[in-house]
Amino acid sequence: MTGYRHVVAKDDYTDLASGAVLRSAPGFPAFPVRLISEIFLRALELRGGDTPAVVWDPCCGSGYLLAVLGLLHRREVSSLVASDVAENALVLARENLALVDPEGMERRARVLEERAERFGKPGYLDAAASARRLGGLLTGEGG
């Protein structure tokens, strides 16, 4: 790949950092958000047409890649399909893909706020604020 053609701006993807709002675990690395977006948009361009895409990740791991696509490209995605041979991966993937729904993101924000109160850690409040911003993104893109 020689340079970015679709995602030319270097946006701040802090809210999508794995481990804050989106779930992660050892052995389940995240993928660079800007690169995910660029590859997806190139695939859409190659496919042609303007109908939303079904996106399948056959080795989804934590579901991070699919969740990010669902959050950033809601209008271009008709459905997200995740599969993996590891059950522990699918547990994480289900949790992350639930965040592509505004209600799921709101639940995650509340859990993070409860953890902040329970453990007295401001990092959870920062993560809850990220979840609320992502929830706004979901609502703004059509829920």
Side-chain angles (χ1 to χ4, degrees):
M1 190 158 64
T2 60
Y4 289 82
R5 291 193 321 250
H6 299 280
V7 189
V8 293
K10 292 183 180 182
D11 291 335
D12 180 0
Y13 298 111
T14 304
D15 289 340
L16 296 168
S18 184
V21 177
L22 293 165
R23 306 293 303 269
S24 68
F28 295 97
F31 199 85
V33 172
R34 186 173 173 216
L35 186 56
I36 291 170
S37 207
E38 178 70 23
I39 291 170
F40 174 69
L41 293 172
R42 285 185 184 205
L44 284 181
E45 182 180 68
L46 288 170
R47 180 196 70 165
D50 59 358
T51 59
V54 174
V55 183
W56 174 43
D57 187 347
C59 303
C60 70
S62 68
Y64 177 82
L65 186 147
L66 288 172
V68 166
L69 287 176
L71 290 165
L72 294 180
H73 297 286
R74 294 183 71 68
R75 295 183 192 279
E76 295 92 3
V77 173
S78 64
S79 52
L80 300 167
V81 181
S83 60
D84 203 293
V85 296
E87 184 57 36
N88 60 338
L90 293 174
V91 168
L92 278 173
R94 284 184 195 101
E95 290 174 3
N96 281 332
L97 290 171
L99 301 176
V100 180
D101 176 88
E103 291 175 16
M105 189 62 78
E106 176 59 29
R107 279 190 300 276
R108 180 70 171 143
R110 283 195 308 267
V111 164
L112 292 165
E113 288 166 344
E114 289 167 6
R115 287 181 182 171
E117 185 176 321
R118 181 177 175 194
F119 300 114
K121 294 194 175 193
Y124 284 122
L125 283 179
D126 294 341
S130 288
R132 298 229 185 270
R133 283 189 294 273
L134 291 170
L137 177 69
L138 288 172
T139 303
E141 289 294 317

